[in-house]
Amino acid sequence: LDYQHVQVPFEITLWIMLASLAKIGFHLYNRLPSVVPESCLLIFVGLIMGGIIYGLNDKSPPVMDSDIFFLYLLPPIVLDAGYFMPSRPFFENIGTILLYAVVGTIWNVFGIGFSLYGICQVKAFRLQDVSLLHNLLFGSLIAAVDPVAVLAVFEEIHVNEKLHILVFGESLLNDAVTVVLYKLFRSFCEMPAIKSVDVFAGIGKFFVVGLGGVLVGLTFGMTAAFTTRFTKDIRVIEALFGFLYSYLSYLTAEMFHLSGIVAIIACAMGMKRYVEANISLKSHTTVKYFMKMWSSVSDTLIFIFLGVSTIGENHEWNWPYICFTVIFCLIWRALGVLVLTFFVNRFHVNTITSKDQFIIAYGGLRGAICFSLVFLLPDFHRKKLFIAATTVVILFTVFVQGMTIRPLVDLLAVKRKRESAPTVGEQIHIRFLDHLLAGIEDISGHWGQYYWKDKLEYFNSKYLQKILLREYDQPKSSIVLLYEKLERKHAIELAEAGQLGHAPSHPSLLNNDRIVITDKKLEDTLNPDVLENIQEILARNLYRIRRTGPAYNRHTLPGETEPVEHAKEILILRHKSL
Amino acid sequence: LDYQHVQVPFEITLWIMLASLAKIGFHLYNRLPSVVPESCLLIFVGLIMGGIIYGLNDKSPPVMDSDIFFLYLLPPIVLDAGYFMPSRPFFENIGTILLYAVVGTIWNVFGIGFSLYGICQVKAFRLQDVSLLHNLLFGSLIAAVDPVAVLAVFEEIHVNEKLHILVFGESLLNDAVTVVLYKLFRSFCEMPAIKSVDVFAGIGKFFVVGLGGVLVGLTFGMTAAFTTRFTKDIRVIEALFGFLYSYLSYLTAEMFHLSGIVAIIACAMGMKRYVEANISLKSHTTVKYFMKMWSSVSDTLIFIFLGVSTIGENHEWNWPYICFTVIFCLIWRALGVLVLTFFVNRFHVNTITSKDQFIIAYGGLRGAICFSLVFLLPDFHRKKLFIAATTVVILFTVFVQGMTIRPLVDLLAVKRKRESAPTVGEQIHIRFLDHLLAGIEDISGHWGQYYWKDKLEYFNSKYLQKILLREYDQPKSSIVLLYEKLERKHAIELAEAGQLGHAPSHPSLLNNDRIVITDKKLEDTLNPDVLENIQEILARNLYRIRRTGPAYNRHTLPGETEPVEHAKEILILRHKSL
């Protein structure tokens, strides 16, 4: 037996296998996932495993390595989040999201830090040796909302799109703030004296970290798009480039101490439309499927490791400090959301309701990022206290808040996500209004959101597409395309019903003289990809079936909902018309 | 700048990126890959890179780590090879393949080892210190044909299926022999005295290593199939299980000193049909695509690393020894093929022609496996000589034989691969003959190939399928299914041509009373997967278009050939019939 030789890959494979089997296990009992969020169950599995390891070895099980977390487990999740990010609601609410992510996080860091310092002054708690700087450092790591935890819970409760994007966007973009504040306080802790110039350098650094991340991400994203222009002859590896470039953007950003999360999101959002247009449908299915798969596995592993790492002797249980941490996290977040939303609502017509505010405050879950950051702290005598407090905050938010948020959403009757996709009519009207508003902004000289969107779209179609897309065509008239697709669809239905050649139910508008161009058309249309596309367009626009799946769920691929329902509805419509 | 932190993943990603970009580069110039095999070009890129590294650092570039090769680069290639292995020709020729792989490899090992020992006795060459055991050890690593190199060359020259499977099958299955002989001689080298019992133990070990590998592989394969029965609710990770279980089978086999290659092939071949039936079409596309992608990247990396590792000061250039190694490799392989084929042809009606024998002998390429094994040798004073000889043999076989084999195949007019898939008629006749032969073997009491195949098929449908498949249905009458598919296809064509409702070209056999069962049928048929399936069946069976792509090419997915040609042919046929 030569275990040493294969140890590393063998153990990695076994962990992934365990995670996947745990996932299968939960879904075998349908009622379980509908009551308890998967993240709780996975932490629970981790706790049990950690207990077993602890019991067998009589020493603490290995904690999750921060390097493994930041280099290997986090990027797939963020990549998936960025790639499937609904860009319209994101950019519509970018101002609010940034306000929550930047000002809100800073508010929380200082709020929690200073109030914990206040608690430390109470003699009865025996915490006088924890300095203000250490409290602020702790605040900087505990304040940030965690994207992994938020995703895991919010994708199961299906709140409305705006609410979802506000919490989720904040959790992603606060990374820049967390990185800066955490590193700032950590270096302050090691400095003998702090000058005011250091504080200003820290504030300046925030812009560098955030905007630098965006720049790195966009550069890699555009390079990825450009590379896929040339992959026509090697279809088999073209799916790889999307992953390679986004991962490189993350690593490059981390290397330069920029925000890796912001970089990978910018990369994914930037490259998406070009890469999608360049690569084949099969490659694209693989890209999408693999992203979902990878992020799902990472996510599972993170929660299991979180559970495993909780068991052990790394903790110092000073209960007053721990309890006040939990309380301050809740209070300062609630206050922050209230104050910030007050300002946001003054400048927006479409306000955030008080119910939404409650869910935003309550949805501020903490997760594996804080956990990894607390282990990265430099060694000092109260590190174990911080580890204990972080663990309790994470478990409290994931278990208590994560499990009660769904009943609360039901109870408050928070506006849910619209379950059907917009109809053709709605889409046309939305586009029309966009153009109109862009025109109004242009005339009034106000450079608002629509103005920039219009300019960006113009720049995209004028320059970017020509450089980045392999086959750049002027868009065809979509109404003609739709009609052709409908005609084909109808023919299939006739054949299904066995009526072909017996009772043509409505005359074709396509004339015989079309035959002369059939050769060209056949090329475009006989292709199975096109047929699949028809299905999708029809299902989306014409029959407007109530979709059972949510629009962006991390565990299913878009369009994976069963076509059975659609088919039934089509049949009913046909029967009525006969 | 914090490079240390991200070094490992960053460099891995950069290497993969380099490999992928190199691939894109070659395919941009269409003429290049048609003259020079990709493997040669990649080694060439590696040589240049190695030269640059050597020039800049003035020391040898890092050699390919044997652990990385055996644990991470080789498994994806072998998994891909096993998963897409055409099982019929493989099992039809299993006897011949095993003869070449086992007896042929042993013949080569001892032939090369003893003759090199003879060369060492010539005083002028100054090689008297190389013992017989060291020569045999060297023979055991240099004798084995390399699957990676064989695949890279043979998939480009499209020889007939039997010839391909003979060389390729041999290169895969000789792993068991190589493992045993290499380890045997290595331990003999370190033993003070060799008893005859050790030799017999070595022979016994061969069966353990080979059959143990098959057993481990099949166990994991069946477990994988069984696991995918329960993945219906978590479609997003079901593709993972195929990879996890096959990799585990490889690692487990390696752990127990069994043949990992044999294990992973057995696992892939065993699980394929069940996993395919259990998982969704999208997952299956991902599995296939990802296997191709991964093996393609591994393959590229291996050849680049091979080039990089060649440069440096690891070599002892004793030219007589090196030249005689190349000559003996060629001679003993040629002799071995001639002698073994003589016996094979005596027992087979379908003989191997002398042209085929030449290609089998000439196609015995060496590659990265020998290269990794030679670096794994225990340190002794002539190790650098062995490294030099191995490098030259690999470069000679890959460059000289790899580049001349295609012209030779053209020159000798070796029977090529049949470019069209078998028609329905052929398929039916083949199946009919199989049943007939199974019956004859049964009556005559001869337990031959067909008898066992029939028994296995019976066992499969009686027990295995019921345990391993999620939805086990009795097969439907395929003629009815085909007719329904044809009807639908016809309807699509009518719509394409704009004739729907105008001129029904032939009456439908499907009657109106079919409408009552439409609801059920629609479920099965409106599904886009089904439509894609129709296309494929029709393209394969009815129009019998000359396929441009080869049937199992590692760089394209099956069914990826352009549908344009098919569409044109359909159109021509339609016009004729009008």
Side-chain angles (χ1 to χ4, degrees):
Chain A
L1 193 77
D2 181 13
Y3 183 59
Q4 293 261 293
H5 178 55
V6 298
Q7 188 176 10
V8 177
F10 197 76
E11 288 184 358
I12 294 174
T13 317
L14 277 187
W15 273 111
I16 298 177
M17 184 74 96
L18 171 82
S20 315
L21 291 179
K23 257 190 138 77
I24 290 190
F26 303 146
H27 286 272
L28 278 187
Y29 300 96
N30 283 327
R31 293 202 36 212
L32 206 58
S34 67
V35 180
V36 189
E38 210 183 72
S39 46
C40 297
L41 288 169
L42 291 169
I43 290 185
F44 196 69
V45 170
L47 285 172
I48 293 171
M49 289 211 45
I52 294 171
I53 297 173
Y54 189 58
L56 290 178
N57 295 349
D58 210 21
K59 61 174 186 179
S60 306
V63 294
M64 176 160 56
D65 190 303
S66 300
D67 262 4
I68 291 180
F69 174 73
F70 282 112
L71 292 182
Y72 305 107
L73 293 177
L74 189 58
I77 298 178
V78 185
L79 173 62
D80 175 59
Y83 197 83
F84 292 99
M85 175 89 82
S87 59
R88 193 183 167 88
F90 179 74
F91 285 112
E92 266 175 5
N93 297 297
I94 185 81
T96 316
I97 292 171
L98 280 176
L99 195 72
Y100 284 143
V102 180
V103 183
T105 308
I106 294 174
W107 163 287
N108 275 295
V109 170
F110 285 96
I112 295 171
F114 279 109
S115 19
L116 281 176
Y117 182 63
I119 295 299
C120 291
Q121 302 316 307
V122 179
K123 278 194 179 155
F125 298 156
R126 287 191 220 139
L127 289 160
Q128 279 112 320
D129 55 333
V130 185
S131 69
L132 176 62
L133 257 182
H134 276 123
N135 272 316
L136 284 173
L137 179 57
F138 180 63
S140 76
L141 67 88
I142 204 74
V145 175
D146 186 83
V148 183
V150 165
L151 260 179
V153 166
F154 271 71
E155 75 185 7
E156 289 179 3
I157 59 176
H158 310 314
V159 292
N160 66 71
E161 217 169 22
K162 186 176 172 187
L163 186 50
H164 182 276
I165 205 74
L166 285 178
V167 182
F168 180 46
E170 178 201 339
S171 72
L172 287 172
L173 298 188
N174 66 19
D175 180 57
V177 182
T178 309
V179 167
V180 171
L181 288 181
Y182 178 77
K183 288 189 177 158
L184 197 71
F185 290 129
R186 216 173 64 170
S187 56
F188 282 178
C189 280
E190 285 155 1
M191 271 188 228
I194 302 155
K195 291 175 204 152
S196 61
V197 67
D198 293 329
V199 178
F200 285 107
I203 294 168
K205 214 176 159 189
F206 163 70
F207 290 98
V208 174
V209 167
L211 296 179
V214 172
L215 203 72
V216 167
L218 284 183
T219 313
F220 277 98
M222 292 301 118
T223 320
F226 187 70
T227 309
T228 50
R229 264 192 78 161
F230 304 102
T231 52
K232 204 186 167 189
D233 293 321
I234 40 161
R235 289 282 183 213
V236 82
I237 58 164
E238 65 184 357
L240 202 64
F241 287 104
F243 296 104
L244 288 179
Y245 279 108
S246 1
Y247 193 44
L248 275 184
S249 76
Y250 181 84
L251 294 176
T252 310
E254 289 285 309
M255 195 159 74
F256 292 106
H257 298 287
L258 305 174
S259 166
I261 292 185
V262 171
I264 203 167
I265 284 175
C267 178
M269 290 182 82
M271 76 180 179
K272 188 183 179 189
R273 62 194 287 181
Y274 307 109
V275 168
E276 226 168 85
N278 277 335
I279 68 180
S280 77
L281 197 92
K282 248 177 191 156
S283 308
H284 192 230
T285 306
T286 306
V287 168
K288 286 191 293 183
Y289 192 102
F290 204 72
M291 261 179 205
K292 291 273 169 216
M293 188 171 92
W294 207 352
S295 79
S296 175
V297 170
S298 278
D299 179 80
T300 312
L301 281 175
I302 286 174
F303 285 112
I304 289 185
F305 283 152
L306 212 55
V308 171
S309 310
T310 303
I311 306 286
E313 288 150 1
N314 290 316
H315 310 286
E316 181 193 336
W317 300 108
N318 184 313
W319 283 107
Y321 192 83
I322 292 171
C323 293
F324 275 107
T325 308
V326 174
I327 292 166
F328 288 141
C329 280
L330 289 173
I331 290 177
W332 284 103
R333 178 154 180 90
L335 280 178
V337 170
L338 278 179
V339 173
L340 291 176
T341 315
F342 174 74
F343 288 108
V344 168
N345 279 348
R346 289 194 63 173
F347 295 102
H348 281 81
V349 183
N350 197 353
T351 56
I352 300 167
T353 64
S354 51
K355 282 177 193 171
D356 285 356
Q357 290 174 40
F358 176 77
I359 297 296
I360 292 173
Y362 201 73
L365 307 179
R366 269 62 163 189
I369 291 185
C370 331
F371 195 78
S372 301
L373 286 177
V374 81
F375 275 98
L376 281 180
L377 282 181
D379 276 323
F380 78 112
H381 65 288
R382 288 293 194 163
K383 187 173 169 182
K384 287 191 172 181
L385 171 65
F386 286 179
I387 293 178
T390 310
T391 307
V392 171
V393 170
I394 293 172
L395 293 186
F396 180 83
T397 54
V398 171
F399 275 86
V400 179
Q401 292 177 223
M403 283 171 72
T404 52
I405 199 165
R406 195 201 303 244
L408 280 173
V409 165
D410 291 340
L411 195 73
L412 292 174
V414 173
K415 204 178 152 209
R416 292 305 182 90
K417 184 190 290 170
R418 189 182 162 155
E419 301 220 329
S420 57
T423 58
V424 173
E426 281 175 288
Q427 283 177 346
I428 292 171
H429 280 93
I430 289 171
R431 204 179 290 179
F432 167 69
L433 278 174
D434 283 356
H435 283 294
L436 193 68
L437 284 167
I440 292 171
E441 285 188 347
D442 211 8
I443 290 167
S444 65
H446 170 69
W447 291 358
Q449 178 190 346
Y450 295 98
Y451 173 84
W452 284 113
K453 196 176 165 188
D454 199 53
K455 282 282 165 285
L456 201 68
E457 208 49 62
Y458 177 77
F459 177 71
N460 171 48
S461 65
K462 187 92 180 170
Y463 305 104
L464 279 182
Q465 285 196 344
K466 285 181 189 162
I467 300 169
L468 301 177
L469 290 190
R470 189 182 295 156
E471 285 146 5
Y472 175 64
D473 278 333
Q474 288 298 321
K476 290 174 196 162
S477 163
S478 54
I479 220 83
V480 172
L481 286 176
L482 185 67
Y483 184 75
E484 286 178 13
K485 282 168 184 171
L486 274 176
E487 189 78 353
R488 247 171 283 133
K489 172 80 177 176
H490 174 63
I492 298 168
E493 284 170 47
L494 278 185
E496 296 299 341
Q499 293 178 316
L500 191 67
H502 296 284
S505 61
H506 69 76
S508 170
L509 290 178
L510 291 167
N511 299 319
N512 277 336
D513 58 9
R514 283 230 167 202
I515 286 179
V516 291
I517 55 155
T518 308
D519 201 332
K520 173 74 190 69
K521 267 177 59 205
L522 269 176
E523 284 183 29
D524 303 333
T525 49
L526 260 184
N527 193 316
D529 304 348
V530 175
L531 286 174
E532 208 165 325
N533 203 5
I534 308 164
Q535 287 262 345
E536 208 186 333
I537 288 202
L538 276 166
R540 220 156 35 94
N541 297 331
L542 294 177
Y543 294 98
R544 196 148 59 103
I545 308 303
R546 279 160 301 288
R547 287 206 165 190
T548 45
Y552 47 98
N553 180 333
R554 218 149 38 92
H555 295 292
T556 54
L557 289 168
E560 232 197 10
T561 48
E562 286 289 302
V564 177
E565 290 299 319
H566 302 196
K568 273 189 188 158
E569 192 119 347
I570 292 164
L571 196 79
I572 293 163
L573 286 173
R574 286 193 58 72
H575 270 278
K576 275 185 191 157
S577 72
L578 284 174
Chain B
L1 193 77
D2 180 14
Y3 183 59
Q4 293 261 294
H5 178 56
V6 297
Q7 188 176 10
V8 177
F10 197 75
E11 290 185 357
I12 293 174
T13 317
L14 277 187
W15 274 111
I16 298 177
M17 184 74 95
L18 172 83
S20 314
L21 290 178
K23 258 192 138 78
I24 290 191
F26 303 146
H27 286 272
L28 279 186
Y29 300 97
N30 283 327
R31 291 201 39 209
L32 206 58
S34 67
V35 181
V36 189
E38 210 182 73
S39 46
C40 298
L41 288 169
L42 291 169
I43 290 185
F44 197 69
V45 170
L47 285 172
I48 292 172
M49 289 211 45
I52 294 171
I53 297 173
Y54 188 56
L56 290 178
N57 295 349
D58 210 23
K59 62 173 186 179
S60 308
V63 294
M64 175 159 57
D65 190 302
S66 299
D67 262 3
I68 292 180
F69 174 73
F70 281 112
L71 291 183
Y72 306 107
L73 294 177
L74 190 59
I77 298 179
V78 184
L79 173 62
D80 175 60
Y83 197 83
F84 291 99
M85 175 89 82
S87 60
R88 194 184 166 88
F90 179 75
F91 284 112
E92 266 175 5
N93 297 297
I94 186 80
T96 317
I97 292 171
L98 279 176
L99 195 71
Y100 284 143
V102 180
V103 183
T105 307
I106 294 174
W107 164 285
N108 275 296
V109 170
F110 285 96
I112 295 170
F114 279 110
S115 21
L116 281 176
Y117 183 63
I119 295 299
C120 290
Q121 302 314 309
V122 179
K123 277 195 179 154
F125 298 155
R126 287 192 219 137
L127 288 160
Q128 280 112 320
D129 55 335
V130 186
S131 69
L132 176 62
L133 256 183
H134 276 123
N135 272 316
L136 283 173
L137 179 57
F138 179 62
S140 75
L141 67 90
I142 204 74
V145 176
D146 186 83
V148 184
V150 165
L151 260 179
V153 167
F154 271 71
E155 75 185 9
E156 290 180 4
I157 59 176
H158 309 315
V159 292
N160 64 72
E161 217 170 23
K162 186 177 173 187
L163 185 50
H164 183 276
I165 205 73
L166 285 180
V167 181
F168 180 47
E170 178 200 340
S171 72
L172 286 172
L173 298 189
N174 65 20
D175 180 58
V177 182
T178 309
V179 167
V180 172
L181 287 181
Y182 178 79
K183 288 189 177 159
L184 197 71
F185 290 130
R186 215 173 67 170
S187 56
F188 281 179
C189 281
E190 286 156 0
M191 271 190 227
I194 302 155
K195 293 177 200 150
S196 60
V197 67
D198 293 328
V199 177
F200 285 108
I203 295 169
K205 214 176 160 189
F206 163 70
F207 290 98
V208 175
V209 167
L211 295 180
V214 172
L215 203 71
V216 167
L218 285 182
T219 313
F220 277 98
M222 292 302 117
T223 320
F226 187 69
T227 310
T228 50
R229 265 191 77 160
F230 304 101
T231 53
K232 204 184 169 193
D233 293 320
I234 40 160
R235 289 283 184 211
V236 82
I237 58 163
E238 64 184 357
L240 203 64
F241 288 104
F243 296 104
L244 288 178
Y245 279 108
S246 1
Y247 193 44
L248 275 184
S249 77
Y250 181 85
L251 293 176
T252 310
E254 289 285 309
M255 196 160 72
F256 291 106
H257 298 287
L258 305 173
S259 166
I261 293 185
V262 171
I264 204 169
I265 285 176
C267 178
M269 291 180 81
M271 75 179 177
K272 188 182 179 190
R273 62 195 289 181
Y274 306 109
V275 168
E276 227 168 85
N278 278 336
I279 68 180
S280 78
L281 198 91
K282 247 177 191 153
S283 308
H284 192 230
T285 306
T286 306
V287 169
K288 285 192 294 184
Y289 192 102
F290 204 72
M291 262 180 202
K292 292 273 168 214
M293 187 170 95
W294 207 353
S295 79
S296 174
V297 169
S298 278
D299 178 80
T300 313
L301 281 175
I302 287 174
F303 285 112
I304 288 185
F305 282 152
L306 211 56
V308 171
S309 310
T310 303
I311 306 287
E313 288 151 0
N314 291 316
H315 309 287
E316 182 193 335
W317 300 109
N318 183 312
W319 283 108
Y321 192 83
I322 292 172
C323 292
F324 276 107
T325 307
V326 174
I327 293 166
F328 288 140
C329 280
L330 289 174
I331 291 176
W332 284 104
R333 177 153 181 91
L335 280 178
V337 169
L338 277 179
V339 173
L340 291 177
T341 316
F342 174 75
F343 287 108
V344 168
N345 280 347
R346 288 194 64 172
F347 294 102
H348 282 81
V349 182
N350 197 353
T351 57
I352 300 166
T353 65
S354 51
K355 281 176 192 171
D356 284 357
Q357 289 175 40
F358 176 77
I359 296 297
I360 292 173
Y362 201 75
L365 307 179
R366 267 65 161 190
I369 291 185
C370 332
F371 195 78
S372 299
L373 286 178
V374 81
F375 275 98
L376 280 181
L377 282 181
D379 276 322
F380 78 111
H381 65 289
R382 288 290 194 166
K383 188 175 169 182
K384 286 190 173 182
L385 172 64
F386 286 177
I387 293 177
T390 310
T391 308
V392 171
V393 170
I394 293 171
L395 293 186
F396 180 83
T397 54
V398 172
F399 275 87
V400 179
Q401 291 176 220
M403 282 171 72
T404 51
I405 198 165
R406 195 200 304 240
L408 278 173
V409 165
D410 290 340
L411 195 75
L412 293 174
V414 172
K415 202 176 154 212
R416 292 307 183 89
K417 181 191 291 171
R418 185 180 167 160
E419 302 221 329
S420 58
T423 58
V424 174
E426 283 175 288
Q427 284 178 345
I428 292 171
H429 280 93
I430 290 171
R431 203 178 291 178
F432 167 68
L433 279 172
D434 284 356
H435 282 295
L436 193 68
L437 284 166
I440 292 171
E441 285 187 349
D442 210 8
I443 290 167
S444 66
H446 170 70
W447 290 358
Q449 178 191 345
Y450 295 98
Y451 173 82
W452 284 113
K453 197 174 163 189
D454 198 55
K455 282 280 166 288
L456 201 67
E457 208 50 62
Y458 177 76
F459 177 69
N460 172 49
S461 65
K462 188 91 180 170
Y463 304 104
L464 279 182
Q465 286 196 343
K466 285 182 189 164
I467 300 168
L468 301 176
L469 291 189
R470 189 181 296 156
E471 284 146 5
Y472 175 65
D473 278 332
Q474 287 299 320
K476 290 174 199 163
S477 164
S478 55
I479 220 81
V480 171
L481 286 175
L482 185 67
Y483 184 76
E484 285 178 13
K485 282 169 184 173
L486 274 175
E487 190 77 354
R488 247 171 283 133
K489 171 78 175 176
H490 174 64
I492 298 167
E493 283 170 46
L494 279 184
E496 296 299 341
Q499 292 176 318
L500 192 66
H502 295 284
S505 61
H506 69 77
S508 169
L509 290 179
L510 292 167
N511 301 318
N512 278 335
D513 59 9
R514 283 228 166 203
I515 288 178
V516 291
I517 55 153
T518 309
D519 202 331
K520 174 74 190 69
K521 268 175 61 205
L522 269 176
E523 283 185 29
D524 302 334
T525 49
L526 259 184
N527 193 316
D529 304 347
V530 174
L531 286 174
E532 208 167 326
N533 203 6
I534 307 166
Q535 288 262 347
E536 208 190 332
I537 288 202
L538 275 166
R540 222 158 32 97
N541 297 331
L542 294 177
Y543 296 98
R544 196 149 59 102
I545 308 302
R546 281 159 299 289
R547 286 208 165 187
T548 46
Y552 45 98
N553 180 333
R554 216 147 40 91
H555 295 293
T556 54
L557 289 168
E560 231 197 13
T561 49
E562 286 290 301
V564 179
E565 291 298 320
H566 301 195
K568 273 189 188 155
E569 192 121 344
I570 291 165
L571 196 79
I572 293 164
L573 286 174
R574 286 194 57 74
H575 270 277
K576 275 184 191 157
S577 73
L578 282 175

